[in-house]
Amino acid sequence: MNTTVAMNITKSEKSRISEIDFNNLAFGSVFTDHMFFCDYVDGAWQQPQIAPYGPISIDPSAKVFHYGQAVFEGMKAFKDDEGATWLFRPEENWERINKSSDRLAIPEFPKEYFFDGLKTLLHLDNEWIKSGDGNSLYIRPFVIATQSGVSASPSDRYRFMIICAPAQAYYSGEVSVLFAEKYSRAADGGVGFAKAAGNYASQFYPTNLAKEKGYQQIVWTDASTHEYLEEAGTMNVFFRVGNTLLTAPNNDRILDGITRKSIIQLAKDAGIDVQVRRVSVSEIVTAATSGELKEIFGAGTAAVVVPFKSFGYQEKDYDLPSIEDSYASKFKKALKDIQYNRASDPHGWRYEVK
């Protein structure tokens, strides 16, 4: 393994891997033996470290608890049938966490620290990455403000960390969604485009209300009028009307999803008419009523591609047809074949961890 960054590594005395039932994993609940961290002190990122996974000590007055300076990423490692380990478009994750950090006045994290730390961590915990379709290692980079004190100002100390969790499917079973009519995920000029921790906290309450009605997710609408569909709680959203694929354009309310942009490219490669434009609620309701709405599916790192069976709006449910050769299944297979090194990679998305 070629690394360029000096790193302090403390290995775990005993692996916990023998205690794990890899056939029964609740997403994001079991973590590997090691974690990466690096502190920002006196205006500079210090020497990166890897240590056994475990609790960290932090002052109760740390600014992350009081002012919410926290951003994160989600990415995965895959192991092919030959035992090689692959990442999918990891440079996009590094760029996006720094874009998120910049919006929350957090210093950017150096690229060489990110990649060297990630590769070293994946080599140490390589046995946790299982081969086989559907198996992966979910990787969670994040950064938090650690300066002590409750003055309302940006922190001058931060901790960047990477933790990893073996994963299988994020969603099991069918998914029904509710189109938002009252609550909003993000507003113009806000932080919706960033993977800020608070974006997710603020949507838990309305999502719980939706779950009480039998829905698994909300598809958020624009905050100003609630007339245009934007993204779901944990995923970007695609709509298939006839044979045309629709998805909302990026703006300062919508996360620039890596899976989303990959699907747009795959659809173009397949000659599918892709329209990246504002998608109105009325347009989708009309298409569902006329039978022109063929599919709605979500796309994200954790979920990959998730077809929706129905959506609710204004106290009415609209069922979606079951399609054998769906776009959702087509793109999910194409993405996974690239991620697991089973197909050619014409766009250079795969990154081997050597």
Side-chain angles (χ1 to χ4, degrees):
M1 180 180 60
N2 295 320
T3 58
T4 58
V5 176
M7 201 174 309
N8 186 3
I9 300 174
T10 304
K11 294 183 179 180
S12 175
E13 293 183 1
K14 184 178 184 298
S15 176
R16 294 175 287 104
I17 195 167
S18 62
E19 304 167 12
I20 308 305
D21 181 358
F22 282 86
N23 295 316
N24 294 286
L25 290 170
F27 184 87
S29 62
V30 173
F31 296 90
T32 63
D33 290 321
H34 298 91
M35 61 185 185
F36 170 89
F37 64 96
C38 185
D39 291 319
Y40 183 88
V41 182
D42 296 330
W45 290 102
Q46 306 300 303
Q47 184 180 47
Q49 300 185 59
I50 287 179
Y53 181 90
I56 61 174
S57 177
I58 189 168
D59 196 286
S61 67
K63 291 197 174 186
V64 64
F65 299 136
H66 303 275
Y67 302 111
Q69 273 187 291
V71 299
F72 68 94
E73 267 302 315
M75 50 198 305
K76 283 181 176 178
F78 306 88
K79 186 170 285 186
D80 66 22
D81 292 338
E82 304 302 318
T85 298
W86 302 87
L87 298 170
F88 183 73
R89 305 186 75 170
E91 190 157 335
E92 300 268 358
N93 296 102
W94 169 74
E95 290 176 351
R96 192 170 63 182
I97 198 169
N98 280 335
K99 183 179 179 181
S100 299
S101 294
D102 186 59
R103 181 60 180 85
L104 270 71
I106 297 170
E108 294 186 0
F109 197 63
K111 183 176 182 179
E112 62 272 21
Y113 282 23
F114 181 85
F115 276 90
D116 280 9
L118 181 55
K119 288 189 290 184
T120 304
L121 189 61
L122 293 179
H123 275 280
L124 283 170
D125 288 339
N126 186 263
E127 292 301 313
W128 291 79
I129 312 171
K130 300 299 183 183
S131 60
D133 194 69
N135 294 322
S136 63
L137 187 73
Y138 183 76
I139 303 166
R140 171 56 60 90
F142 64 100
V143 56
I144 58 174
T146 55
Q147 180 190 355
S148 300
V150 294
S151 62
S153 60
S155 177
D156 63 12
R157 288 174 175 255
Y158 298 90
R159 174 164 287 193
F160 188 103
M161 301 191 69
I162 304 176
I163 56 177
C164 302
Q168 295 175 318
Y170 189 81
Y171 288 101
S172 58
E174 297 178 316
V175 175
S176 295
V177 296
L178 179 67
F179 288 180
E181 299 176 53
K182 176 182 177 181
Y183 295 101
S184 301
R185 176 187 177 274
D188 292 336
V191 297
F193 70 89
K195 283 188 78 72
N199 288 347
Y200 297 80
S202 65
Q203 67 184 348
F204 290 157
Y205 173 70
T207 301
N208 282 344
L209 297 180
K211 287 180 178 179
E212 290 174 3
K213 296 181 179 181
Y215 304 98
Q216 285 73 49
Q217 284 275 306
I218 293 175
V219 176
W220 300 102
T221 48
D222 68 290
S224 299
T225 67
H226 295 294
E227 293 178 1
Y228 294 94
L229 296 155
E230 298 202 322
E231 68 173 306
T234 58
M235 298 173 282
N236 295 114
V237 183
F238 289 85
F239 307 87
R240 178 184 175 184
V241 178
N243 289 322
T244 299
L245 193 63
L246 310 175
T247 193
N250 288 332
N251 54 42
D252 55 13
R253 300 182 304 274
I254 297 177
L255 184 71
D256 185 15
I258 295 166
T259 307
R260 169 190 175 276
K261 66 179 67 176
S262 302
I263 287 175
I264 291 172
Q265 184 61 59
L266 290 173
K268 290 178 178 179
D269 292 347
I272 294 170
D273 180 20
V274 186
Q275 297 182 14
V276 181
R277 61 170 175 81
R278 300 181 83 186
V279 181
S280 70
V281 175
S282 61
E283 175 184 5
I284 296 305
V285 169
T286 299
T289 303
S290 68
E292 280 294 295
L293 181 64
K294 305 301 182 184
E295 300 176 63
I296 306 177
F297 57 89
T301 297
V304 189
V305 176
V306 178
F308 300 160
K309 73 168 185 175
S310 65
F311 71 90
Y313 180 65
Q314 292 186 341
E315 304 300 323
K316 182 177 179 180
D317 287 333
Y318 297 83
D319 292 329
L320 293 163
S322 177
I323 301 175
E324 285 188 13
D325 188 24
S326 67
Y327 283 179
S329 61
K330 176 186 182 71
F331 295 134
K332 184 172 185 177
K333 181 181 186 304
L335 278 172
K336 289 172 67 177
D337 283 349
I338 293 171
Q339 291 168 339
Y340 287 95
N341 193 29
R342 297 190 296 240
S344 63
D345 180 22
H347 300 290
W349 292 339
R350 259 193 319 257
Y351 178 98
E352 186 173 6
V353 181
K354 295 182 179 179

